[in-house]
Amino acid sequence: MRPDILNPLFAEVEALKGVGPALKKPLDRLGIARVLDLLFHLPSGWIDRVARDELMQSDVGRTIAITLTVRDHRSSSSPRAPTRVQAEDACGNTVSLVYFGGSSGWVKKLLPVGEAKRISGKLEQYGQDLQIIHPEIVGDDDTFRAREAIYPLTEGMTSRRLAGLVEQALARAPDLPEWIEPSLKAQRDWPSWREAIARIHADPADAIARARLAYDEVFANQLALALVRADTRRRRGRALAGDGRLRDMLRLPYRMTGAQARTVGELEGDMAQSAPMLRLLQGDVGSGKTLVAAMALLIAVEAGAQGAMLAPTEILARQHYETLRRLLAGLPVEIAVLTGRDKGRAREATLMGLADGSIHILVGTHAIFQQAVAYRDLGLVVVDEQHRFGVAERLLLQDKGKTPPHVLAMTATPIPRTLTLALHGEMDQSRLDEMPPGREPIETRVVSEERIDEVVNALGRHLSEGRQAYWVCPLVEESETSDLQAAEARAASLAARFGDRVGLVHGRMKPAEKDAVMARFSAAGLGVLVATTVIEVGVDVPNATLIVIEHADRFGLAQLHQLRGRVGRGGGRSVCLLLRGPSLSETARSRLALMRETNDGFRLAEEDLRLRGAGELLGTRQSGEAMFRLATPELLGELLPAATDDARLLIDRDGGLSAERGRAARTALYLFERDAGVVRLRSG
């Protein structure tokens, strides 16, 4: 239960003075629904004002604050012409205050002739004269701030209005108990939490206050992960020691890579322990994760238990089912598939086989942990593309075992080492960092959009050779509708050239419709699959050896790499064409150059983090991973080791959540909304 001391911060933003329905709309667009959201909406920059008594030529280009006396108003009959207010300082030096747009009447009320006003703005040179465009009235010395915060804004919200709301939020902020280890706090010279949040809004350049707040968020995250990890270790599971008889019967047409063999050894060691395994397997597209998962499932079956493999979509579930059937053909292992589509007798037969143990391995979607599904002895759960599932869904599947089953989570999205500990610190880590021999790297080319006719002609030659292709449409803006319109327009233009060989999939289609199109593409009934970026198109079609990505310069490296991984799944050469716009930023140019240079997803993930800075980390917002609101990637890398050590120290030495510092840390978990671990543990 959330500590009472935090209740003022979790109040709805409408509780603040002046926030009504009109102001609520822009606040909603900024993601500000509670008082806490205002406090954590940190300034993105600041304005430094230089206080002056006299206008000086040397200040041109600087933002100044100065008292001026209004002498004259000059307006034009043309509505496009600006209103100019002539004013002078105490020494008689003159400046034009320039206002564009609208009637001059409101300017006359704002700056009456003969009155002195303290104004602020950027001093500029216009011909022989000095001018300030749209200056602000900043008031007297009591309210003047030399440094003023600039906030991320949206239509209908000004920085000054937002600052006023933040001021109200700060007045509600309580003094919280200290959760940072005392010697660390003293060493870094960090203020208290309340002082830090007040300081960063007053002076966005305050690096010490910003680091303190970022540390708090990272510490709460690492503590939550450490609590879940400790709880997992405390639970009594079941040791699964395979005898190797089924794995020895496998007749693979290739040898496992060193990375695969190493990972299988790690899994075998984990599963032989009574504490439930919780391991994350990262592997680039094509690195052989499915074979590793199959080995883990065979270990479970050898030990007399059942295994389940969870996939995020029906088409991926059926793809895994077919892959495992081919891989394990000839072994005395019964494999079944269960998705939402399965009904009637087939479903009943599968449920009976699971309950009596005659089905050893089940592959499916979320349907495999529904209430009606009962296992005789579930010992291992493999979760594919684990970022698509929440913790609650994973725990539901874990509850299907007599004792908590071992869990192997897999992802094809390479994660920078900096972030792995922050996002998945409760799991042990394995990496498949080498490709099977004989797999050709995907050839990547960058092509100007002005040459799109040549690209379409090349696509025609590709189809005439009996091969297939993906065409990914751009994200036009933050709108699924615009995204869909772009895809529909591209599909129509390609269909005009290639007829009914062109198919379209997008996020607004019903699952059955989407599956039908994907199935036609898989069966080579379609030559080109046009797709928006809001859906997964990760179906295994070895014959698809070309992918075209429009407006590739708008995407991050991780997203481009994931899209590129849709091809190159069969033998022979595959090509990825990145269509770029006419002008490129330096960051976009660097991204596209790296895509040409390397197929190494782990290297690209590290570079993506470096290039994108404080933006979205690896597209984690799309994938559902937790976002850090206060900790930039730079601060995350700097503070993560100390936060991880401090979290472990709290649990191992300082009494966990039940001692004095632990109770303060519990407050931090709720403040940063990392309290799921507390709810699960019910400790302290």
Side-chain angles (χ1 to χ4, degrees), residues 289-304:
K289 293 185 300 299
T290 305
L291 176 59
V292 171
M295 291 296 195
L297 290 165
L298 287 179
I299 291 171
V301 178
E302 288 171 356

Side-chain angles (χ1 to χ4, degrees), residues 23 164 230 252 281 306 317 330 423 430 439 477 515 565 592 595 608 647:
L23 199 57
L252 298 175
L281 173 58
Q306 294 167 297
L423 296 175
S430 292
R439 188 178 177 91
E477 57 186 56
D515 285 348
L592 297 182
M595 286 292 293
D608 199 25

Side-chain angles (χ1 to χ4, degrees), residues 644-661:
T644 303
D645 290 345
D646 196 13
R648 288 173 179 163
L649 192 67
L650 176 66
I651 293 172
D652 297 339
R653 189 198 72 181
D654 295 347
L657 298 186
S658 57
E660 182 180 355
R661 187 161 85 94

Side-chain angles (χ1 to χ4, degrees), residues 33-216:
R34 305 159 304 179
V35 173
L36 181 69
D37 299 325
L38 270 171
L39 293 181
F40 287 171
H41 191 75
L42 299 188
S44 55
W46 61 88
I47 295 175
D48 278 330
R49 296 189 178 92
V50 181
R52 290 286 187 252
D53 296 320
E54 182 181 355
L55 292 161
M56 293 185 289
Q57 197 75 28
S58 59
D59 280 334
V60 169
R62 304 174 81 175
T63 300
I64 64 170
I66 188 168
T67 299
L68 299 172
T69 302
V70 178
R71 294 304 181 201
D72 188 23
H73 286 257
R74 298 174 184 173
S75 56
S76 169
S77 57
S78 170
R80 295 185 178 180
T83 297
R84 295 183 176 273
V85 179
Q86 298 302 116
E88 62 182 36
D89 63 17
C91 301
N93 302 307
T94 61
V95 63
S96 288
L97 309 180
V98 183
Y99 292 88
F100 288 92
S103 165
S104 62
W106 65 274
V107 180
K108 290 177 180 177
K109 290 181 181 179
L110 184 70
L111 297 169
V113 172
E115 284 197 15
K117 295 281 188 178
R118 188 171 176 83
I119 66 97
S120 173
K122 186 177 181 181
L123 188 65
E124 297 177 348
Q125 185 86 38
Y126 183 68
Q128 298 299 312
D129 300 324
L130 295 175
Q131 71 175 17
I132 300 175
I133 297 175
H134 284 277
E136 291 183 86
I137 310 297
V138 294
D140 56 27
D141 290 333
D142 292 335
T143 59
F144 171 70
R145 288 181 179 175
R147 175 166 289 170
E148 183 174 332
I150 299 297
Y151 290 94
L153 299 173
T154 186
E155 184 181 352
M157 179 63 67
T158 65
S159 202
R160 186 156 291 188
R161 187 72 181 272
L162 193 57
L165 296 176
V166 168
E167 202 169 312
Q168 290 189 62
L170 286 168
R172 287 172 166 253
D175 289 312
L176 299 179
E178 186 55 73
W179 47 75
I180 298 179
E181 202 277 325
S183 64
L184 176 63
K185 182 172 180 284
Q187 176 192 340
R188 303 276 184 141
D189 193 28
W190 280 336
S192 68
W193 175 81
R194 193 188 185 289
E195 183 185 343
I197 199 76
R199 276 170 53 171
I200 199 66
H201 284 286
D203 181 3
D206 190 330
I208 291 176
R210 189 175 289 273
R212 155 80 210 225
L213 295 170
Y215 179 84
D216 291 337

Side-chain angles (χ1 to χ4, degrees), residues 301 304-309 334-339 342 346-365 367-380 397 400-402:
V301 178
Q306 294 167 297
M309 189 171 189
E334 188 66 32
I335 308 171
V337 63
L338 184 65
T339 69
D342 296 300
R347 176 181 168 83
E348 289 302 317
T350 300
L351 295 181
M352 287 176 62
L354 289 172
D356 65 22
S358 58
I359 291 176
H360 304 107
I361 297 172
L362 179 68
V363 184
T365 58
I368 70 176
F369 55 70
Q370 289 175 346
Q371 191 171 357
V373 183
Y375 297 79
R376 182 174 181 272
D377 187 5
L378 181 62
L380 171 68
L397 196 49
K400 292 293 185 182
K402 295 175 182 176

